[in-house]
Amino acid sequence: LATMSHNTFNGAWEASSREIRDLLELESSKDPAVVPPKDFTSQSHHLSVLYIKYAQIYIRLEEAYDQMVHPQKRRALKLMLDGVMGRVLELKHALVNLQACDYQYLDEILSDMKLTPADIELPVAKFFRRDNQKAIKDRERLLEQFKAPIADARATAPKPEETPMTVAEAVRLIQIHERARQGRLRAKFMADIRNQEQREKRRKEGGTKKMTRAEAATCIQRHVRGFLARRQLKKKLNKIFLFLGMQMPAAPPKKEDPILLAKKNQEVRRATQEQYEQQYQAALVNIKKKIRDVEGPDMKENMADQIRAWFIACRDQTGKFPEFPASEDGGSKAIFTADGKPAPPPADEPKKDKKDK
């Protein structure tokens, strides 16, 4: 994989992060010069601009998440992508409630921002299917076992059953096609006869004249020059039509087609994602096992020493050992604070006389 591709998606992630921070500052600002008025036009314009910007951020993040191969980065990017998707939905609902219409016309705002409707066309996130591929296959397999119909937009609609053709209709159809074939043959035969008669007539009128070598060479030169001139004119016309956009450029070879190369690169990156994800999951298991086997005994001994010291400190202050926390309360975990250190011993209790004990 090219380093430039990694830098491209990392740059898209960084740029999206900056834009999100700027938008959050804009939305949370209390400055009267920034906060839009409460009238319908200002609120609609403000929400539409936010919707467009968040839609552009979503498009960039979705592409970056689909092509990024680093497992830890993909997890952090997924959180940001989920947040942006939620914000886009919130702005869409706000526009619908404000305008009382399910469709928003953003042509003027897009024109002011030098954008086209295609720039904010929200694609369906690819991870909806790719991350749940196993669950989707299991569901399809289960539906197939129950012979249930699957509502798939990619499946073609069943063709209506055709009524069988009667014998009379079949004979009539064969007759029509046979008469048409015979008519074409007859027309071709008559055209050949007419052309032959015209050639014979021209031969009789013109007579036979033998060319000299110079005349034959001139005739050949005339035809060759005409052929070369027509070919050169055709090339010039193709260049003009291509420049004016009236003609599509010639398709490059499949090995050099940039679209096919880009799709192939995307598939390679997705395969690399799966490979790195497997390595990441295996590394988590190995590191956890290594910590348990190598550092686990030392950690267990240190925690036991801390718990003993805590019990002794409690006994020194209160004169008796405290009750060990129940398993429902977390057991020895309840003894430690959030930073991993033992909790301070309980406050001193009033000591009782030995007679009362």
Side-chain angles (χ1 to χ4, degrees), residues 85-290:
M85 291 169 62
R87 186 57 182 152
V88 170
L89 291 177
E90 291 176 355
L91 292 170
K92 178 67 176 179
H93 285 302
L95 286 171
V96 171
N97 294 332
L98 179 65
Q99 300 179 1
C101 181
D102 292 337
Y103 302 96
Q104 284 72 44
Y105 301 95
L106 310 174
D107 299 344
E108 295 182 1
I109 302 177
L110 289 174
S111 178
D112 295 338
M113 300 176 67
K114 309 299 181 184
L115 298 175
T116 63
D119 294 330
I120 61 170
E121 184 176 355
L122 301 178
V124 178
K126 301 178 184 65
F127 67 85
F128 285 154
R129 289 189 62 88
R130 294 188 65 247
D131 292 356
N132 302 318
Q133 195 68 27
K134 186 176 182 299
I136 293 174
K137 288 183 179 180
D138 293 341
R139 184 179 59 188
E140 291 178 353
R141 192 181 303 110
L142 182 63
L143 293 175
E144 186 177 355
Q145 291 177 357
F146 289 107
K147 297 182 179 180
I150 301 176
D152 190 354
R154 298 170 297 175
T156 57
K159 296 182 180 180
E161 296 182 359
E162 298 180 357
T163 56
M165 188 180 297
T166 62
V167 177
E169 292 175 348
V171 171
R172 179 173 177 79
L173 183 62
I174 293 173
Q175 288 178 347
I176 292 173
H177 285 281
E178 180 61 23
R179 289 170 182 170
R181 186 186 68 83
Q182 292 180 2
R184 288 192 295 270
L185 290 176
R186 191 178 300 109
K188 185 176 181 304
F189 179 70
M190 295 302 296
D192 293 340
I193 292 177
R194 285 195 298 271
N195 293 335
Q196 183 66 24
E197 290 177 353
Q198 291 177 359
R199 286 195 294 271
E200 292 292 338
K201 184 177 180 181
R202 286 196 298 270
R203 188 179 300 110
K204 291 179 180 179
E205 292 177 354
T208 57
K209 182 178 180 182
K210 189 175 181 180
M211 287 186 180
T212 61
R213 292 175 63 89
E215 292 176 345
T218 303
C219 182
I220 294 172
Q221 289 176 0
R222 182 170 63 250
H223 286 284
V224 170
R225 289 173 179 173
F227 170 77
L228 295 176
R230 286 190 297 272
R231 188 174 67 176
Q232 187 177 3
L233 178 61
K234 186 177 181 180
K235 289 182 179 179
K236 290 183 178 180
L237 290 176
N238 289 336
K239 290 182 180 180
I240 294 174
F241 291 154
L242 186 63
F243 175 75
L244 296 176
M246 299 172 62
Q247 184 176 345
M248 294 295 294
K254 290 187 177 180
K255 294 183 179 180
E256 301 177 1
D257 191 353
I259 297 178
L260 296 179
L261 291 176
K263 291 182 178 179
K264 184 178 179 180
N265 190 24
Q266 290 177 357
E267 295 299 328
V268 170
R269 296 182 72 88
R270 293 191 182 107
T272 307
Q273 284 179 8
E274 297 179 1
Q275 179 183 355
Y276 285 2
E277 181 65 25
Q278 294 175 1
Q279 295 177 0
Y280 175 70
Q281 296 296 338
L284 290 179
V285 176
N286 294 334
I287 292 173
K288 189 175 181 180
K289 182 179 179 182
K290 182 179 178 181

Side-chain angles (χ1 to χ4, degrees), residues 332-351:
S332 61
K333 183 179 179 182
I335 298 176
F336 295 90
T337 57
D339 56 356
K341 298 180 180 180
D348 294 339
E349 297 179 0
K351 295 183 179 181

Side-chain angles (χ1 to χ4, degrees), residues 5-75:
S5 300
H6 298 297
N7 294 336
T8 299
F9 299 116
N10 290 334
W13 185 12
E14 184 179 356
S16 300
S17 301
R18 289 196 302 267
E19 290 187 17
I20 290 175
R21 286 194 294 268
D22 295 340
L23 291 175
L24 290 177
E25 292 179 2
L26 177 64
E27 294 184 61
S28 60
S29 176
K30 303 297 183 180
D31 188 359
V34 177
V35 177
K38 299 297 183 180
D39 60 287
F40 172 80
T41 304
S42 301
Q43 288 290 325
S44 178
H45 184 273
H46 177 67
L47 293 176
S48 299
V49 171
L50 290 178
Y51 175 80
I52 292 173
K53 291 185 177 180
Y54 273 107
Q56 290 181 296
I57 294 173
Y58 162 74
I59 294 172
R60 287 199 300 270
L61 289 180
E62 193 276 331
E63 183 180 5
Y65 179 77
D66 181 61
Q67 294 297 305
M68 193 170 287
V69 298
H70 199 288
Q72 289 94 332
K73 288 183 179 180
R74 296 188 80 241
R75 280 162 172 76

